[in-house]
Amino acid sequence: MEERKEKIDLKSSIRDIPHFPKHGVIFKDITTLLNDNRCFRYAVSEMVEHFKDERIDKVVSAESRGFIFGSVIAHKLHAGFVPLRKPGKLPHETIREEYETEYSKDAFEIHRDAIKEGENVLIVDDLLATGGTMEAATKLVERLGGNIVGIAILIELGFLKGRDRLTKYEVFTLVNYEEEE
Amino acid sequence: MEERKEKIDLKSSIRDIPHFPKHGVIFKDITTLLNDNRCFRYAVSEMVEHFKDERIDKVVSAESRGFIFGSVIAHKLHAGFVPLRKPGKLPHETIREEYETEYSKDAFEIHRDAIKEGENVLIVDDLLATGGTMEAATKLVERLGGNIVGIAILIELGFLKGRDRLTKYEVFTLVNYEEEE
């Protein structure tokens, strides 16, 4: 690996935004982490390191922030990149899963030809909160016959117990907030 | 560079979708390119190769599809990654620019602290159409004091003349459609 091995405290590069997007919520702003090339590289290398011995055919990520880590990890693992998008954004034939987040009800679509039966898939996202979006992502991948090798996520809001909805999978997270601060 | 040098015809990996998102338009679907690891890597390496001798502090890209190439290029050039987002998505203090596309009127925001005065910036996107979004991106970067080293784009719809709005900058595009097909 070309990456430096020096340990970096990623939590200190994530900015707390109180009362965003609504009152009483502390939003974890990763733009400060992405802005610092050392932190960004370190986070990517830790995710890649964890899954580097697996054969990964496709990396799947949901718009918009998920694309940021998903595409880099796909590139580094020599995998294809598959975007999950909000309804109406993907132009070819899709399948859809609805989900609920902390704040809203929505859906993701995936191109029906994006994953072939039996391909090994890594799902990547920036945030695991209640697990609603991630659960939708796993359903979409499995409906297309993909084999989910694991899930790599930058930030886990442990107190929201999203991991409990994903017990079938290996869920690797880099930064965990065990308690609501 | 670790990349293979074999030339790949990227155009053949881009899928034409007639009448999307509206009648009479041929949408260029890059999900087929991203899905093929060889094509994705080749496109990234061509963009990186073109700007590798410049010092790039920040790579700036607009949501959502722009993030896919922007984050990989930032990572490969050892730069920080700066997202441009639709209004209300960035949680800290922002500045805003409105723009028009082929289909709509909208705006992008950037965090005010995302670029420091005098930093070298590369703007990355997947598509240059009328140039409206790219012009907004250049204005945001320059309002923050960034020095635009260049613009790297996967697909140029040459017949829409977006390049004419960006004559101050070096605009590097990988796949050019000179005529509406």
Side-chain angles (χ1 to χ4, degrees):
Chain A
M1 301 289 294
E2 84 219 49
E3 309 299 334
R4 67 180 71 190
K5 292 295 176 192
E6 178 200 341
K7 188 149 173 62
I8 291 179
D9 173 23
L10 289 175
K11 223 174 224 184
S12 68
S13 74
I14 295 167
R15 177 161 59 186
D16 279 352
I17 311 278
H19 308 306
F20 186 90
K22 65 176 188 184
H23 191 81
V25 171
I26 300 172
F27 184 82
K28 300 298 178 188
D29 178 16
I30 65 164
T31 65
T32 37
L33 182 155
L34 300 169
N35 202 277
D36 182 333
N37 161 51
R38 278 176 57 249
C39 296
F40 181 31
R41 294 184 74 73
Y42 179 76
V44 167
S45 88
E46 290 286 295
M47 290 190 195
V48 167
E49 186 71 25
H50 192 82
F51 290 100
K52 74 175 174 3
D53 296 329
E54 308 277 357
R55 195 200 75 221
I56 310 286
D57 300 304
K58 300 284 164 65
V59 170
V60 170
S61 292
E63 74 170 304
S64 297
R65 288 199 314 265
F67 290 0
I68 298 170
F69 279 93
S71 67
V72 180
I73 307 278
H75 188 271
K76 295 212 53 110
L77 291 174
H78 291 241
F81 177 70
V82 176
L84 303 184
R85 300 212 60 185
K86 298 290 174 69
K89 294 286 188 178
L90 288 172
H92 207 252
E93 199 191 342
T94 58
I95 60 171
R96 178 185 298 197
E97 281 287 339
E98 295 186 354
Y99 65 90
E100 288 181 39
T101 71
E102 280 180 88
Y103 315 119
S104 65
K105 200 164 182 167
D106 213 331
F108 279 125
E109 294 182 341
I110 190 170
H111 272 150
R112 196 179 277 280
D113 60 3
I115 293 168
K116 293 187 196 73
E117 183 86 31
E119 281 189 324
N120 278 355
V121 174
L122 177 66
I123 306 179
V124 175
D125 209 347
D126 66 322
L127 182 74
L128 179 61
T130 61
T133 63
M134 190 49 72
E135 196 177 29
T138 61
K139 284 181 186 168
L140 287 170
V141 169
E142 291 182 342
R143 283 172 62 190
L144 295 180
N147 168 42
I148 297 172
V149 171
I151 297 172
I153 297 173
L154 179 65
I155 296 175
E156 178 174 2
L157 303 182
F159 55 90
L160 291 176
K161 310 281 184 208
R163 186 179 281 271
D164 294 353
R165 297 165 79 161
L166 304 167
T167 51
K168 279 165 57 187
Y169 310 105
E170 190 195 346
V171 180
F172 175 73
T173 61
L174 271 178
V175 179
N176 194 349
Y177 296 89
E178 292 289 358
E179 291 173 38
E180 203 156 2
E181 281 152 38
Chain B
M1 302 289 293
E2 84 220 49
E3 308 300 334
R4 68 180 70 189
K5 291 294 178 193
E6 178 200 342
K7 189 151 173 62
I8 292 179
D9 174 24
L10 290 175
K11 223 175 225 182
S12 67
S13 73
I14 296 166
R15 175 162 58 187
D16 280 352
I17 310 278
H19 308 305
F20 186 90
K22 66 175 186 183
H23 191 82
V25 171
I26 299 173
F27 184 81
K28 298 300 177 187
D29 177 16
I30 66 163
T31 65
T32 37
L33 183 155
L34 300 169
N35 202 277
D36 182 334
N37 161 52
R38 278 176 59 246
C39 295
F40 182 31
R41 293 185 72 77
Y42 180 76
V44 167
S45 86
E46 290 287 294
M47 289 190 196
V48 167
E49 185 71 23
H50 192 83
F51 289 101
K52 74 176 176 2
D53 296 330
E54 308 277 356
R55 194 198 78 222
I56 309 286
D57 300 304
K58 300 283 164 66
V59 170
V60 170
S61 293
E63 74 169 307
S64 297
R65 287 200 312 264
F67 289 1
I68 298 170
F69 280 93
S71 67
V72 181
I73 307 273
H75 188 272
K76 293 211 54 111
L77 291 173
H78 292 239
F81 177 70
V82 176
L84 303 184
R85 300 212 60 185
K86 297 292 173 67
K89 294 285 189 178
L90 288 172
H92 207 250
E93 200 189 342
T94 59
I95 59 170
R96 178 185 300 197
E97 281 287 339
E98 295 184 356
Y99 64 89
E100 288 179 40
T101 70
E102 279 180 271
Y103 316 118
S104 64
K105 200 164 181 168
D106 212 331
F108 279 125
E109 294 182 342
I110 190 171
H111 272 150
R112 195 179 278 281
D113 61 2
I115 294 168
K116 292 188 196 73
E117 183 86 33
E119 280 189 325
N120 278 355
V121 174
L122 176 66
I123 306 179
V124 175
D125 209 348
D126 66 321
L127 182 73
L128 178 61
T130 61
T133 64
M134 190 48 72
E135 195 176 31
T138 61
K139 283 181 185 166
L140 287 169
V141 170
E142 290 182 341
R143 282 172 62 191
L144 295 179
N147 168 43
I148 297 172
V149 170
I151 297 171
I153 297 172
L154 179 65
I155 296 175
E156 178 174 1
L157 302 182
F159 55 90
L160 291 175
K161 309 280 184 209
R163 187 179 280 272
D164 294 353
R165 296 164 79 161
L166 304 166
T167 52
K168 279 166 58 187
Y169 310 106
E170 190 195 347
V171 180
F172 175 72
T173 61
L174 271 178
V175 179
N176 194 347
Y177 297 88
E178 292 289 357
E179 290 173 39
E180 204 157 3
E181 283 152 37

